[in-house]
Amino acid sequence: MNQEQNNAAMRAQFPVLQQQANGYPLVYLDSAATTQKPDPVIEAINVYYQQDNANVHRAAHCLSARATQKFEHARDLVAQFINAPSREQVIWTKGATEAINLVAQSYGSLLNLGDEILLSTMEHHANIVPWQQLAQQRDLVIRVIPLTANGELDMNAVSELLTERTRIVAITHVSNVLGSVNPIAQLVKMSHQVGAKVLVDGSQAVAHMPVDVQALDCDFYVFSGHKMYGPTGIGVLYGKTELLNAMPVWQTGGEMIKKVSFSGTTFNALPFKFEPGTPNISGVIGLGAAIEFLTSLDRVAIHNQEQVLLAYAKQQLEQLSEITLIGSPQEQMAVISFVVKGEHHSDIATLLDQQGIAIRAGHHCAMPLMDALGLNGTLRLSFGCYTTKQDVDAFITALQKTLEFL
Ligand SMILES: Cc1ncc(COP(=O)(O)O)c(C=O)c1O
């Protein structure tokens, strides 16, 4: 198959992409917000509800046995996908946000007055606010890694900010605004040298690059299913076993217990200790299907295609005198932010939407980054495995028309 046939075959698997938006063929350039879902994911969820629907881990009947088997198989798939040493280190959450809250509240309860948390300027609110809450509750200190002029972590500042008081470093793998890829392995090494643990927010990484938690040696790694072709409402917390075992339970209830009496309760082992209540079974099964979908692709070829499109889109945007690209990191992943001179980002996005182009405008849940950049928002393009050069061309044509119109 040539490139065009490859693209057509890929796009044919995504029903959402087969529609018109405002009278134009839909051009979806907002995959960093959420990716579209391929047929196998939609089908896996349908089959679960049509044939296997039952609660898990209560296998008194065959439906429950099938649901449990699929549910736990998805955990194996995630463990393999991120190279976790064991399946018990894969904990289901609602998404990256809930996973970070879990670590902040559970691991965070082991921190003491004056202990320091190191974040970066490019974090999503999901990796800021839970730590701020914890800092207020326990009188901790938050320090922030600044960025260089091209939108990368200032690694010289990291050496100064990491001290023997630093207990946790919470850092994104890939920026959802700038696309910057952070040097996680190096950061983990530096953090471990001062005895700090590292949580990596992999929300924008997992769909675009191989992630090996053992090679990174990170202590926690979190991500959401919906940004990697899976359903919404399901995500993953990976953690090192000794840390997860030492952490107190967070939310409590059924499923996470070994024995309950009115004189006290003993808790279940990992991973169930952190999974109270009936889980998002269809979400887990859908995420399993998304991982099977992703691993069935030639991921190197997809990565290369995304990189070619990134370079092409940047080059096209740079030719428009009204446009300023935001950030120019050396390693950039599937995301481009830009502003239009004299125009509000949301006006541009609305006019693009009227031409069938879906992109994101605003602060992208990264207000501290916007403050640091001196902006009130940007426009953001983001790519997935189904994005083509035709998408970028349609976007550039619509943007040019919009600029002429304004
Ligand atoms: C870098 C980053 N972290 C965290 C999140 C939060 O993900 P969710 O809303 O799925 O929990 C996002 C979502 O945009 C993100 O881009």
Side-chain angles (χ1 to χ4, degrees), residues 313-334:
K314 285 199 318 194
Q315 180 226 328
Q316 294 292 305
L317 282 166
E318 272 166 350
Q319 283 171 21
L320 305 174
S321 59
E322 301 91 333
I323 304 294
T324 308
L325 296 180
I326 305 301
S328 53
Q330 277 200 350
E331 204 184 340
Q332 187 171 357
M333 201 66 69

Side-chain angles (χ1 to χ4, degrees), residues 20-55:
Q20 303 262 309
N22 294 319
Y24 293 83
L26 171 66
V27 172
Y28 186 76
L29 294 170
D30 197 17
S31 293
T34 197
T35 52
Q36 296 303 344
K37 318 304 172 203
D39 282 326
V41 169
I42 299 168
E43 181 65 10
I45 296 168
N46 279 342
V47 167
Y48 164 68
Y49 279 125
Q50 287 168 353
Q51 299 174 20
D52 306 323
N53 180 46
N55 214 326

Side-chain angles (χ1 to χ4, degrees), residues 130-150:
W131 302 111
Q132 275 178 337
Q133 289 298 106
L134 173 70
Q136 279 171 20
Q137 289 158 6
R138 304 194 64 80
D139 270 328
L140 311 179
V141 177
I142 291 187
R143 303 224 179 270
V144 183
I145 307 168
L147 305 188
T148 62
N150 56 356

Side-chain angles (χ1 to χ4, degrees), residues 32 95-97 124 126 172 174 176 201 203-204 224 226-227:
T97 301
H124 187 283
T172 194
V174 174
N176 67 313
D201 174 0
S203 303
Q204 297 295 345
S224 291
H226 71 98
K227 292 185 199 285

Side-chain angles (χ1 to χ4, degrees), residues 55-356:
N55 214 326
V56 288
H57 306 136
R58 290 158 206 180
H61 53 80
C62 62
L63 292 189
S64 177
R66 283 207 300 272
T68 303
Q69 190 275 327
K70 287 185 174 180
F71 181 87
E72 290 301 332
H73 177 59
R75 202 186 302 269
D76 292 327
L77 291 172
V78 170
Q80 281 160 26
F81 187 67
I82 59 172
N83 196 28
S86 75
R87 65 190 314 281
E88 288 76 21
Q89 291 167 270
V90 172
I91 292 156
W92 302 125
T93 64
K94 278 196 298 191
T97 301
E98 191 180 55
I100 297 169
N101 274 279
L102 192 165
V103 177
Q105 287 301 312
S106 174
Y107 187 75
S109 72
L110 306 173
L111 304 188
N112 296 308
L113 177 79
D115 283 349
E116 294 184 5
I117 300 166
L118 188 56
L119 307 176
S120 90
T121 306
M122 68 170 84
E123 297 313 308
H124 187 283
H125 297 163
N127 202 24
I128 298 175
V129 187
W131 302 111
Q132 275 178 337
Q133 289 298 106
L134 173 70
Q136 279 171 20
Q137 289 158 6
R138 304 194 64 80
D139 270 328
L140 311 179
V141 177
I142 291 187
R143 303 224 179 270
V144 183
I145 307 168
L147 305 188
T148 62
N150 56 356
E152 295 174 334
L153 281 187
D154 182 343
M155 293 304 283
N156 293 328
V158 172
S159 324
E160 283 165 29
L161 287 163
L162 272 175
T163 71
E164 72 287 352
R165 301 260 32 188
T166 315
R167 292 289 172 269
I168 189 142
V169 178
I171 188 88
T172 194
H173 201 162
V174 174
S175 161
N176 67 313
V177 177
L178 306 167
S180 325
V181 181
N182 288 326
I184 297 298
Q186 187 190 348
L187 208 64
V188 169
K189 211 167 178 194
M190 291 167 77
S191 305
H192 285 173
Q193 273 164 9
V194 299
K197 305 298 179 204
V198 181
L199 175 142
V200 181
D201 174 0
S203 303
Q204 297 295 345
V206 275
H208 303 285
M209 60 201 279
V211 169
D212 180 335
V213 290
Q214 293 189 69
L216 293 174
D217 196 25
C218 55
D219 300 287
F220 303 101
Y221 197 95
V222 307
F223 54 96
S224 291
H226 71 98
K227 292 185 199 285
M228 51 182 296
Y229 312 108
T232 50
I234 186 67
V236 169
L237 164 64
Y238 155 81
K240 284 191 176 161
T241 305
E242 66 276 18
L243 295 177
L244 293 172
N245 275 329
M247 281 158 58
V249 296
W250 180 44
Q251 294 179 336
T252 54
E255 287 273 307
M256 52 77 69
I257 52 86
K258 207 177 267 166
K259 185 168 187 327
V260 179
S261 75
F262 281 112
S263 58
T265 295
T266 52
F267 302 119
N268 210 334
L270 290 174
F272 308 112
K273 163 183 173 184
F274 290 114
E275 294 180 356
T278 299
N280 179 355
I281 303 167
S282 66
V284 165
I285 291 171
L287 177 55
I291 288 176
E292 282 176 330
F293 167 78
L294 258 174
T295 47
S296 75
L297 303 178
D298 178 346
R299 294 195 70 199
V300 174
I302 301 282
H303 173 80
N304 291 342
Q305 180 185 316
E306 287 178 359
Q307 288 294 309
V308 167
L309 286 178
L310 195 77
Y312 177 65
K314 285 199 318 194
Q315 180 226 328
Q316 294 292 305
L317 282 166
E318 272 166 350
Q319 283 171 21
L320 305 174
S321 59
E322 301 91 333
I323 304 294
T324 308
L325 296 180
I326 305 301
S328 53
Q330 277 200 350
E331 204 184 340
Q332 187 171 357
M333 201 66 69
V335 171
I336 305 174
S337 266
F338 65 97
V339 291
V340 181
K341 205 185 288 164
E343 302 298 342
H344 196 271
H345 43 78
S346 54
D347 294 339
I348 304 279
T350 304
L351 291 166
L352 289 172
D353 177 51
Q354 286 170 9
Q355 300 168 77

